[in-house]
Amino acid sequence: MNAPVDAIVRLTDLTLGYRRHPAVHHLSGGFREGSLTAVVGPNGAGKSTLLKAVVGALKPFDGKVTLHGLTARDIGYLPQQAEVERDFPIDVLDTVLLGHWRRVGIFRAIGRALTRQAEEALAAVGLAGFERRPIGALSAGQFQRVLFARLLVQDARLILLDEPFTAIDARTTADLLDVVRRWHGERRTVVAVLHDMEQVRAHFPDTLLLAREPVAWGRTDEALNPANLARARMMAEAWDDKAEVCRRSSS
């Protein structure tokens, strides 16, 4: 699969894994600037692994990730809730204010203007009045709203969301989908790992269907056709988790 000419993230024969066990094989393509893309596939298909490679948290075994016109401060990454530490004694407002640190540095004082931005972000996700609540006292849905508010403050051009709507209520999901649509309207590039196919069809124009290897990447109605979904299931059934990651030179 060739990357579009306006790709802000370009993947070239990308192969990823952990301790030589396979996760993603020979993925090529790209995310267009301003696109809204779902990454879907069977459990263990390499979806979360791909986001970690894009954000720079995982080094490829082979191939490469190329970011065009982006620096680390331009990328907002929301991992799965299970990976986020909630025991740290910090309140809601201070958690959202952390979204400023890449732009202002960790030693610069946060002034009233930046605090106001954080308060406005909390209001935008329906949490006005929650500023001084400890994050440990929040429900899963409320905490996810806080993390979305932090992304709003970060003002990133590329936003990576790993299962952002898992284990939260329908009202919260609807409100956070409104935030995703806002980002899309602002021409930010949004990539989200998702499991709900109806949600993908309703809200995400583009889809990458991944089963460790790419199955389809393009318009959602084409990528999620019955033949592609059946192929992804068959590929998942044939996985050998004891196999080593193969290498193929991209030069």
Side-chain angles (χ1 to χ4, degrees), residues 23 236 251:
S251 60

Side-chain angles (χ1 to χ4, degrees), residues 35-116:
S35 60
L36 175 56
T37 306
V39 181
V40 304
N43 290 334
K47 304 181 295 293
S48 299
T49 302
L50 173 60
L51 295 197
K52 290 175 181 177
V54 173
V55 81
L58 182 66
K59 183 179 179 180
F61 280 120
D62 204 1
K64 61 182 179 180
V65 177
T66 306
L67 305 178
H68 293 276
L70 294 173
T71 64
R73 62 179 285 180
D74 296 316
I75 304 174
Y77 171 52
L78 181 62
Q80 297 178 23
Q81 275 214 28
E83 300 179 28
V84 180
E85 178 60 56
R86 294 187 61 184
D87 294 332
F88 192 76
I90 187 173
D91 65 27
V92 165
L93 181 60
D94 286 340
T95 301
V96 177
L97 286 170
L98 289 173
H100 287 303
W101 77 267
R102 280 185 173 172
R103 285 185 293 156
V104 304
I106 60 175
F107 299 111
R108 177 180 163 187
I110 299 294
R112 180 58 198 158
L114 296 182
T115 301
R116 188 179 304 111

Side-chain angles (χ1 to χ4, degrees), residues 1 11-16 23-29 62-63 210 212-214 245-250:
M1 301 178 186
L11 314 175
T12 306
D13 199 24
L14 186 65
T15 294
L16 306 168
V24 175
H25 289 275
H26 310 307
L27 175 60
S28 293
D62 204 1
L210 191 63
R212 296 193 179 169
E213 298 179 18
V245 175
C246 62
R247 290 175 179 266
R248 182 175 67 196
S249 174
S250 58

Side-chain angles (χ1 to χ4, degrees), residues 2 12 26 47 57 82 101 120 130 154 193 196 199 216 243 249:
N2 295 322
T12 306
H26 310 307
K47 304 181 295 293
W101 77 267
E120 290 171 352
F130 280 67
Q154 189 175 337
V193 171
D196 186 331
Q199 190 178 82
S249 174

